[in-house]
Amino acid sequence: MHNLKIQQIWKNSYGDFSASGFFQSDVQKKASQAILHCKSGKLGVNLSQCPDCGHIEFHNNSCRNRNCPNCQAVQKEAWVDKRRAEVIDSPYFHVVFTLPHDLNPLLYCNQQLLYGFFHRCCAETLLELSKSKKHLGATPGIIQVLHTWNQEIGYHVHMHCIISGGGLTPDHKIRKVKKNFFLRVEVLRDQFKGKFLAGLQDFFQKGKLAFPSSCEKLRNSYEWASFRDSLYKKDWCPYIKETFNGFGNAIEYLGRYTHKIAISNSRVLSVDGEQVTFSARGKKPGEPRRNITLRNTEFIRRYLMHVLPPGFQKIRYYGFLNNRYKTKNLKLIFTLQGHQRFRETYSGLSIAELLKAVWNVDIRVCPECGCCRMQGIGRTYGTS
């Protein structure tokens, strides 16, 4: 029933990877153990029995680790359902901010600091420009999702932002655009670049940055100044990936990104004891898909680069969706607009009910006699 190709890569070669001397943080080791043991029975099982024929089913427990390719579907559907109830009557836009690859060594060795700062810079850029009467003149709702990979599972740090084309004005009124995105890309670029590099300079002056061996020379203030100047000359162009003139389709679209991991099982074409082949999009729009082959140990190394620091929130909410005032803001917006466009569908459902509602999979049906009365009779737990 489950496609566990990525788990097979770990089973084939994680021992070799660990023995090779590559550094692994505690959270990377934890993610690897979760991938190895997910749905294997080592984390325990759920037992259910049919009261009619006595048949017993064993369901191996999932690891529920956010880096596991087998455990994201249910969380994604529940998340999308909650966000759908927060959609207001306005256009939505998908904006992507990308950081220059020159920053990769610094980003990787300062993840907690710089990933969080990246989130803040994107949000502040969008909010400050949106509040200007030259643009929207209101505070929009923003959902941001951090991604750190490209199609080849390489290190590519970028931020997906869904921003509403409508929001609350300071005098508590609704203002929204007709259809076109209300911020020019050049204005976004200049504001974001200036904000990020100013913050990076502040971190340097306060000694908050760690410098890996690949950019150790940047500890020197002259080298740092030259590096910073080169970053100013780079093209930091953000882009508008998608415009939604509908409503809920924006959230459905974002659902593709929220619980995504570096690569899914569906993209893995073949696995053996030494190497893995997976598919990737063409390098340019319109080009055919490519097949990429890596040694298993290199695949594992690349995959683990995208394991986030413990507790780091890759999905964040800003504007009228900020967690502190979201309930109050949405109540006001729905009152002003005269309706709430969508409501939660899956709230309060059990896992069995959710599986039935989303995928039409009914785990209560006995595979032996067809009776729809399978009942849970117990659970075992794996060792920690």
Side-chain angles (χ1 to χ4, degrees), residues 23 67 95 100 108 125 137 147 151 170 175 186 217 226 240 264 271 301 311 336 343 357 361:
F23 172 78
N67 301 290
V95 183
Y108 192 71
T125 297
H147 280 183
Q151 283 284 294
R175 181 173 294 166
E186 312 89 75
K217 65 179 184 179
S226 176
I240 315 306
S264 63
V271 178
R301 185 192 71 82
L336 292 172
R343 297 188 184 275
V361 174

Side-chain angles (χ1 to χ4, degrees), residues 60-282:
N60 293 336
N61 290 338
S62 302
C63 65
R64 299 191 179 183
N65 188 289
R66 65 176 175 176
N67 301 290
C68 176
N70 309 318
C71 294
Q72 307 309 309
V74 173
Q75 289 95 320
K76 177 203 140 182
E77 292 298 331
W79 183 90
V80 167
D81 186 55
K82 288 182 179 180
R83 300 293 81 77
R84 191 183 290 114
E86 298 165 4
V87 169
I88 69 169
D89 193 347
S90 88
Y92 278 80
F93 307 95
H94 182 185
V95 183
V96 181
F97 291 92
T98 303
L99 294 175
H101 284 192
D102 308 61
L103 282 166
N104 281 359
L106 269 184
L107 290 166
Y108 192 71
C109 288
N110 297 272
Q111 294 181 38
Q112 191 77 44
L113 175 68
L114 295 184
Y115 288 173
F117 179 61
F118 184 26
H119 256 301
R120 194 163 73 247
C121 282
C122 294
E124 289 178 357
T125 297
L126 292 170
L127 288 172
E128 289 171 10
L129 292 174
S130 297
K131 287 178 182 177
S132 169
K133 291 185 177 179
K134 290 193 302 181
H135 301 116
L136 179 63
T139 299
I142 303 171
I143 302 174
Q144 294 184 174
V145 187
L146 174 71
H147 280 183
T148 62
W149 57 83
N150 58 20
Q151 283 284 294
E152 299 175 8
I153 337 178
Y155 194 59
H156 174 65
V157 181
H158 56 288
M159 191 76 70
H160 293 276
C161 311
I162 290 287
I163 176 172
S164 65
L168 283 170
T169 64
D171 58 351
H172 292 169
K173 294 180 180 178
I174 297 290
R175 181 173 294 166
K176 61 181 180 178
V177 296
K178 298 298 182 183
K179 59 177 182 177
N180 295 325
F181 189 56
F182 51 91
L183 299 174
R184 292 176 57 191
V185 169
E186 312 89 75
V187 177
L188 273 178
R189 175 197 62 204
D190 295 342
Q191 180 100 341
F192 173 70
K193 181 195 287 188
K195 192 178 290 289
F196 191 92
L197 290 178
L200 201 63
Q201 176 66 13
D202 185 57
F203 292 144
F204 176 80
Q205 292 176 336
K206 293 179 178 177
K208 292 185 176 181
L209 295 174
F211 294 95
S213 57
S214 58
C215 57
E216 191 173 8
K217 65 179 184 179
L218 294 181
R219 294 177 182 176
N220 179 285
S221 59
Y222 294 103
E223 293 285 353
W224 173 262
S226 176
F227 175 66
R228 188 191 63 211
D229 290 343
S230 72
L231 290 173
Y232 272 108
K233 296 174 185 176
K234 292 281 182 183
D235 184 9
W236 290 46
C237 194
Y239 67 101
I240 315 306
K241 186 164 184 179
E242 198 78 40
T243 300
F244 303 96
N245 292 320
F247 306 101
N249 55 349
I251 300 303
E252 294 286 353
Y253 182 87
L254 186 62
R256 303 181 198 172
Y257 295 92
T258 53
H259 293 76
K260 210 173 184 181
I261 52 173
I263 184 171
S264 63
N265 280 304
S266 62
R267 282 180 54 199
V268 179
L269 302 176
S270 65
V271 178
D272 62 33
E274 296 294 329
Q275 62 186 27
V276 52
T277 299
F278 59 92
S279 67
R281 287 195 303 266

Side-chain angles (χ1 to χ4, degrees), residues 32 45 57 106 118 134 199 236 299 306 371 377:
S32 289
V45 297
E57 279 283 295
L106 269 184
F118 184 26
K134 290 193 302 181
W236 290 46
F299 181 94
H306 310 298
C371 170
I377 58 172

